[in-house]
């Protein structure tokens, strides 16, 4: 920048000096001894370098112009004329403030007048609306003839500065640790979140190697990352371990990207690190809890399986016992029936065939009926299927099945006919035979 300023000052000085010498070499100022012809020779001699210098000024990107004391353009280079919206020939003699009608309220207007009044050069940067429509860097140099005005369009630089300022603000306010480093790992930039995450201040860490943040066992990993960056490769959300100033090791998620200059050459790397230590701790806690739960479920499953086997063994034993009980009950029933038929029934039959009185014959008939009731499979079936029947109702139902009339049943059981009729009605009700349409004896025979 200093060299550029020197070149600009030299060009302005040379051009101003040539203009002065040309003005002095006009016919009115020519010295004696040569007359008008000598003046023409001097003009030709001075105009040659003037033209060369004017060509040089036309070839550069900065705007150059000269103003007389009335603020009129006496010279503009090509860039200057284009900035003011015309050709050099058209703009010569025009007052600059006519071309910049809104200039009165600008710094340029105030500073240019200050330079003209004080004879001191001024430099400023300012945004100017139409017709310039951009940011310009102005250099005003006063002289005895007026002012020389040098200006440069810095709109792109300002936009870049603004973008860089915005980017810097975003980086500085980010919750993630953002670090810029050279290709050899030297730390160049360090935001506030990096300071919070790693514990180092900016002064402590700038110029240090990135390896101060990497545990010794992972130094090869950091070197491998830089090798990838040199190959223009990026690393996204890579989980690793880093070390803080106080020696703590933290879990981080890293995103590392190459940094390129304006020509696309990789000059460094930016790394974005997010502290995921707490997340890792929670994941490990959840993993332990899950493993513990799995173990408890497995233990409980084994316990239930053992209990299931034990219960199965108990059920098997109960089934064996119940079968044995049923077999014993059946054997006992068969033994009782056999004893009744073989030891009691023959004597009942002999009593029934002997000449007994009416009352004794009735008693024998009752005894025979009771024995039949005991040995009858019908009575057992009826008592099991219809538990609501009383023992008397079961005996009467047995007599009805055998075809006994109400009077015969009453005489056998020594009860009245009405009582037998009442029992018959109860039996029909409990067996669901309502309305008299179903014959009670037929139904009893069907289930015997």
């Amino acid at each position: 920048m200093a060299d550029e300023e020197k070149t600009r000052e030299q060009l302005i000085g040379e051009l101003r000096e040539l203009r002065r010498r040309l003005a002095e070499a006009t016919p009115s100022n020519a010295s004696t001894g040569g007359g008008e012809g000598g003046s023409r020779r001097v003009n030709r001699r001075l105009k040659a370098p003037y033209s060369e210098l004017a060509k040089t000024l036309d070839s550069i990107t900065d705007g150059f112009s000269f103003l007389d004391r009335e603020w009129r353009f006496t010279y503009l280079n090509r860039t200057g004329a284009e900035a003011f919206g015309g050709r050099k020939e058209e703009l010569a003699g025009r007052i600059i403030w006519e071309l910049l009608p809104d200039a009165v309220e600008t710094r340029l207007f105030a500073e240019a007048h200050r330079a003209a009044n004080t004879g001191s050069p001024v430099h400023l940067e300012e945004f100017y609306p139409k017709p310039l429509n951009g940011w310009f860097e102005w250099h005003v140099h006063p002289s005895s003839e007026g002012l020389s005005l040098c200006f440069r369009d810095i709109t792109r630089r300002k936009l870049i500065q603004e973008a860089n300022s915005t980017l810097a603000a975003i980086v500085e306010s980010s919750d993630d640790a953002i670090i810029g480093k050279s290709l050899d790992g030297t730390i160049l930039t360090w935001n506030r979140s990096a300071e919070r995450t790693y514990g180092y201040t900016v002064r402590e860490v700038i110029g240090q190697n990135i390896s101060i943040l990497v545990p010794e066992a992972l130094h090869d990993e950091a070197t491998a990352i830089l090798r990838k960056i040199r190959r223009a490769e990026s690393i996204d959300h890579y989980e690793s371990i880093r070390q803080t100033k106080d020696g703590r090791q933290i879990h981080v998620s890293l995103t590392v990207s190459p940094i390129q200059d304006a020509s696309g050459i990789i000059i460094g790397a930016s790394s974005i690190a997010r502290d995921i230590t707490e997340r890792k701790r929670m994941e490990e806690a959840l993993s332990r809890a899950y493993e513990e739960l799995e173990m408890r479920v497995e233990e409980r499953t084994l316990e239930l399986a053992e209990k299931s086997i034990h219960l199965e063994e108990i059920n098997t034993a109960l089934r064996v016992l119940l079968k044995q009980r049923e077999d014993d009950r059946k054997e006992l029933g068969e033994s009782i029936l056999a004893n009744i038929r073989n030891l009691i029934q023959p004597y009942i039959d002999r009593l029934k065939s002997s000449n007994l009185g009416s009352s004794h014959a009735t008693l024998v008939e009752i005894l025979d009926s009771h024995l039949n009731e005991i040995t009858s499979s019908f009575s057992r079936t009826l008592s099991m299927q219809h538990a609501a029947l009383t023992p008397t109702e079961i005996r009467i139902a047995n007599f009805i099945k055998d075809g006994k009339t109400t009077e015969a049943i009453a005489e056998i059981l020594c009860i009245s006919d009405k009582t037998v009729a009442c029992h018959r009605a109860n039996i029909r009700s409990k067996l669901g035979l309502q309305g008299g349409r179903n014959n009670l004896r037929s139904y009893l025979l069907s289930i015997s």
Side-chain angles (χ1 to χ4, degrees):
M1 185 67 182
D3 291 341
E4 291 180 4
E5 293 293 336
K6 182 179 179 181
T7 302
R8 182 165 45 239
E9 297 297 336
Q10 287 175 342
L11 288 172
I12 292 172
E14 291 176 13
L15 187 59
R16 185 185 298 118
E17 177 62 20
L18 285 172
R19 286 172 58 83
R20 185 186 64 77
R21 292 172 63 185
L22 278 171
E24 291 176 351
T26 58
S28 60
N29 296 326
S31 62
T32 60
E36 188 174 344
S39 176
R40 289 195 189 97
R41 286 193 297 271
V42 172
N43 280 335
R44 284 196 297 271
R45 196 167 56 247
L46 293 175
K47 282 183 178 179
Y50 179 85
S51 298
E52 290 300 319
L53 185 57
K55 287 181 181 179
T56 302
L57 290 173
D58 280 339
S59 67
I60 64 177
T61 58
D62 288 359
F64 285 97
S65 64
F66 289 103
L67 304 170
D68 62 17
R69 290 189 173 278
E70 300 298 325
W71 303 99
R72 299 178 186 277
F73 285 112
T74 60
Y75 170 80
L76 295 96
N77 73 341
R78 184 182 304 165
T79 302
E82 290 174 354
F84 284 100
R87 295 198 304 262
K88 293 187 290 183
E89 297 79 8
E90 296 173 346
L91 297 176
R94 295 286 301 274
I95 296 175
I96 185 173
W97 309 125
E98 292 177 353
L99 301 175
L100 302 176
D102 299 323
V104 177
E105 302 297 329
T106 65
R107 284 184 61 210
L108 173 63
F109 186 87
E111 292 296 311
H113 280 78
R114 185 171 70 85
N117 294 332
T118 63
S120 301
V122 296
H123 308 278
L124 68 146
E125 292 180 0
E126 186 177 33
F127 178 84
Y128 198 92
K130 290 182 179 179
L132 302 182
N133 291 319
W135 278 91
F136 283 84
E137 176 185 324
W138 303 92
H139 300 270
V140 184
H141 298 269
S143 67
S144 58
E145 294 85 13
L147 296 173
S148 61
L149 188 64
C150 175
F151 55 94
R152 177 182 297 173
D153 187 343
I154 58 170
T155 303
R156 185 172 181 274
R157 190 186 81 191
K158 282 290 186 179
L159 292 176
I160 292 173
Q161 287 176 350
E162 184 178 348
N164 287 340
S165 297
T166 301
L167 180 60
I170 293 172
V171 169
E172 195 63 21
S173 62
S174 173
D175 290 334
D176 295 331
I178 302 177
I179 304 170
K181 55 195 172 187
S182 64
L183 291 177
D184 64 359
T186 301
I187 297 172
L188 303 175
T189 62
W190 184 265
N191 72 343
R192 281 199 298 265
S193 186
E195 183 173 332
R196 289 193 298 269
T197 302
Y198 297 111
Y200 292 98
T201 64
V202 174
R203 288 187 177 183
E204 290 175 321
V205 81
I206 295 297
Q208 298 284 345
N209 194 276
I210 196 69
S211 60
I212 66 170
L213 306 178
V214 184
E216 187 174 351
L218 297 177
H219 278 188
D220 290 343
E221 173 194 287
T223 303
I225 290 174
L226 287 174
R227 280 200 300 268
K228 286 188 175 183
I229 293 299
R230 292 189 188 96
R231 297 195 299 268
E233 298 178 22
S234 296
I235 297 171
D236 294 325
H237 304 296
Y238 174 72
E239 294 187 1
S240 186
I241 296 174
R242 291 295 179 262
Q243 188 166 287
T244 64
K245 180 181 178 180
D246 59 9
R248 289 182 303 109
Q249 291 192 349
I250 59 174
H251 292 270
V252 294
S253 175
L254 290 172
T255 296
V256 188
S257 306
I259 299 174
Q260 299 176 339
D261 63 12
S263 60
I265 297 174
I266 297 173
I267 58 173
S270 69
S271 66
I272 302 174
R274 176 166 296 180
D275 188 347
I276 58 171
T277 304
E278 187 61 29
R279 192 194 81 189
K280 281 290 186 180
R281 188 178 294 117
M282 292 178 64
E283 287 176 354
E284 290 172 1
L286 285 173
S287 178
R288 288 195 299 270
Y290 180 77
E291 290 175 359
E292 182 180 350
L293 180 61
E294 284 286 309
M295 185 173 63
R296 292 176 63 182
V297 168
E298 185 177 354
E299 291 174 353
R300 184 61 176 163
T301 301
L302 290 173
E303 181 182 347
L304 291 174
E306 292 175 358
K307 288 184 177 181
S308 177
I309 294 172
H310 183 59
L311 286 174
E312 184 63 29
E313 292 174 350
I314 292 174
N315 287 335
T316 301
L318 285 174
R319 285 195 294 271
V320 171
L321 289 174
L322 288 173
K323 185 177 185 304
Q324 184 63 45
R325 178 185 173 188
E326 181 63 24
D327 291 344
D328 292 344
R329 187 186 66 78
K330 184 177 180 181
E331 183 179 351
L332 178 62
E334 290 175 352
S335 176
I336 291 173
L337 289 176
N339 288 333
I340 289 173
R341 290 192 185 100
N342 296 327
L343 300 177
I344 299 176
Q345 193 63 45
Y347 294 100
I348 296 295
D349 292 340
R350 288 178 62 183
L351 286 173
K352 287 171 69 177
S353 61
S354 63
N355 295 322
L356 296 173
S358 174
S359 59
H360 291 91
T362 299
L363 292 174
V364 171
E365 186 69 27
I366 292 171
L367 181 60
D368 185 41
S369 173
H370 287 176
L371 287 175
N372 286 334
E373 186 177 333
I374 293 171
T375 59
S376 171
S377 61
F378 167 75
S379 297
R380 292 195 299 274
T381 301
L382 194 64
S383 64
M384 286 187 294
Q385 292 183 355
H386 302 284
L389 295 178
T390 66
T392 300
E393 289 169 348
I394 291 174
R395 288 197 296 272
I396 291 174
N398 199 41
F399 285 136
I400 293 170
K401 178 182 72 68
D402 291 339
K404 304 291 185 181
T405 63
T406 298
E407 292 78 8
I409 296 171
E411 183 178 355
I412 293 171
L413 298 179
C414 298
I415 55 178
S416 65
D417 292 351
K418 288 184 178 180
T419 302
V420 175
C422 183
H423 282 304
R424 289 177 70 104
N426 289 338
I427 292 170
R428 291 183 66 87
S429 175
K430 292 179 180 180
L431 295 179
L433 303 174
Q434 301 295 335
R437 287 179 294 179
N438 293 316
N439 184 274
L440 180 57
R441 182 168 183 262
S442 298
Y443 179 80
L444 294 174
L445 287 172
S446 69
I447 64 172
S448 63

